[in-house]
Amino acid sequence: GIRRTGKVLATQGTPRDSQRSAMGNGESARRPASARRAANEAASAAEDPAGAFAPQDESSKSYWKQFKDSYDEIIDAIIRPPRVEYAEEHLGPIAFEFGGVPIARADFEFKNRRGLTLHCSHWHRPDLLAPDFKTELQNGDDSGMGSLRSEQPCLVYLHSHVACRLDVLPLLRTLLTSGVSVLAPDLSGHGMSEGEYVSLGWNERDDVADLLEHLRTAGHAGTIGLWGHYTGAVAALMHGGSDPTIGCLVLEGAVADIKQLIAEWTAKGKEQGYSVPSVLITAGLAM
């Protein structure tokens, strides 16, 4: 997400330095001008893979601008996708019943290790709450955080790229009537959570670790499982491989090769009219 532009800084040297610069050292003096020009172009490409191909003549600059805009749009679609905007009422009612079973939703937020605030929702059976939270409810404390103190098994749903916790709603009926509680976060950079960029599972795996630590600290005594979709599956897989306490993993469409994924997205972009040579994508991935 960081764009670099190469700059040449002019420095004022001594006359001897100027003389050396004019004559060149032994190696550069022997190199033909074409080789030196190629070396300079390669250095520019390393700093700015798209800018290295910029045309010099005025007649081509309009085409170049369209070309570079297409490149930027594809990169932004990967690391800074459109954010799903929604209101809390889209999450559904706070309390309801499925087949005579009472269900309650508790919304909460917490900060991850990068200092970003993540928003989460936890659907649970209030009749299975721990005794201490029932007492809190009787005393008028319904902040929602105590709802995590339950002995219910908890399934954490991790949404896909360009999505949010709303993705879990179609699954609630099946999951809740099976006896588990369901917790769904907006991963960093998605939905209502903070964060400007996404990382296709790399930073999101830390979101998962921080969420589970928060969940256990709150007193959840049940078994925890992870259900991940697409890049959420990548985060679940990366965390689950190092956390032996995870009871189960449900993985949908986990990305196996990031380069293949970006190549597929680039191909889709070309179908929609974006023209970005593969060499630019390869150069960008190598940085």
Side-chain angles (χ1 to χ4, degrees):
I2 300 176
R3 297 191 183 123
R4 300 186 178 92
T5 52
K7 295 183 179 179
V8 179
L9 301 180
T11 57
Q12 181 177 2
T14 64
R16 184 181 298 273
D17 293 333
S18 301
Q19 183 179 8
R20 287 176 179 173
S21 176
M23 297 177 59
N25 56 32
E27 179 181 358
S28 61
R30 289 192 299 269
R31 294 171 63 187
S34 60
R36 293 196 298 272
R37 184 166 53 252
N40 291 335
E41 291 175 353
S44 297
E47 288 296 323
D48 184 358
F53 296 89
Q56 301 300 319
D57 57 298
E58 293 293 333
S59 62
S60 300
K61 286 186 177 180
S62 176
Y63 171 79
W64 167 248
K65 184 178 185 303
Q66 297 178 6
F67 168 79
K68 192 172 186 300
D69 287 346
S70 297
Y71 173 85
D72 291 340
E73 287 183 18
I74 289 180
I75 297 300
D76 282 347
I78 296 172
I79 63 172
R80 190 166 51 192
R83 187 183 292 265
V84 177
E85 297 182 357
Y86 64 94
E88 286 188 3
E89 52 263 29
H90 294 145
L91 292 167
I94 295 293
F96 53 94
E97 288 190 0
F98 273 156
V101 177
I103 303 295
R105 190 191 87 233
D107 300 328
F108 66 95
E109 59 187 55
F110 75 101
K111 287 190 178 294
N112 66 6
R113 66 189 63 186
R114 292 181 291 149
L116 302 175
T117 299
L118 305 188
H119 291 254
C120 311
S121 292
H122 183 231
W123 289 267
H124 62 279
R125 288 180 56 178
D127 58 320
L128 298 180
L129 293 176
D132 59 342
F133 182 57
K134 290 182 179 180
T135 301
E136 291 177 9
L137 284 178
Q138 293 173 358
N139 294 334
D141 181 2
D142 59 352
S143 61
M145 290 306 299
S147 66
L148 300 180
R149 292 196 291 276
S150 168
E151 296 183 359
Q152 271 188 283
C154 181
L155 185 66
V156 178
Y157 182 84
L158 306 171
H159 59 74
S160 65
H161 191 67
V162 197
C164 65
R165 53 183 158 165
L166 293 179
D167 279 14
V168 77
L169 296 182
L171 304 173
L172 285 180
R173 181 183 298 272
T174 300
L175 295 175
L176 293 173
T177 54
S178 68
V180 302
S181 68
V182 179
L183 194 153
D186 281 342
L187 296 170
S188 55
H190 297 82
M192 295 183 179
S193 292
E194 295 179 343
E196 184 177 0
Y197 300 102
V198 302
S199 61
L200 307 180
W202 182 260
N203 287 329
E204 290 78 3
R205 65 174 177 174
D206 292 334
D207 291 346
V208 176
D210 296 340
L211 174 60
L212 298 189
E213 180 181 0
H214 180 86
L215 186 63
R216 291 172 176 135
T217 301
H220 195 291
T223 302
I224 297 176
L226 301 177
W227 182 329
H229 181 216
Y230 200 40
T231 51
V234 176
L237 189 60
M238 295 178 75
H239 175 81
S242 60
D243 187 348
T245 67
I246 299 299
C248 71
L249 289 173
V250 181
L251 308 173
E252 292 186 89
V255 178
D257 189 327
I258 185 63
K259 293 184 178 180
Q260 179 182 351
L261 172 66
I262 293 179
E264 292 174 354
W265 282 356
T266 302
K268 291 181 179 179
K270 290 180 179 179
E271 294 175 359
Q272 299 175 8
Y274 300 116
S275 178
V276 179
S278 300
V279 63
L280 291 185
I281 301 298
T282 302
L285 288 172
M287 292 182 65

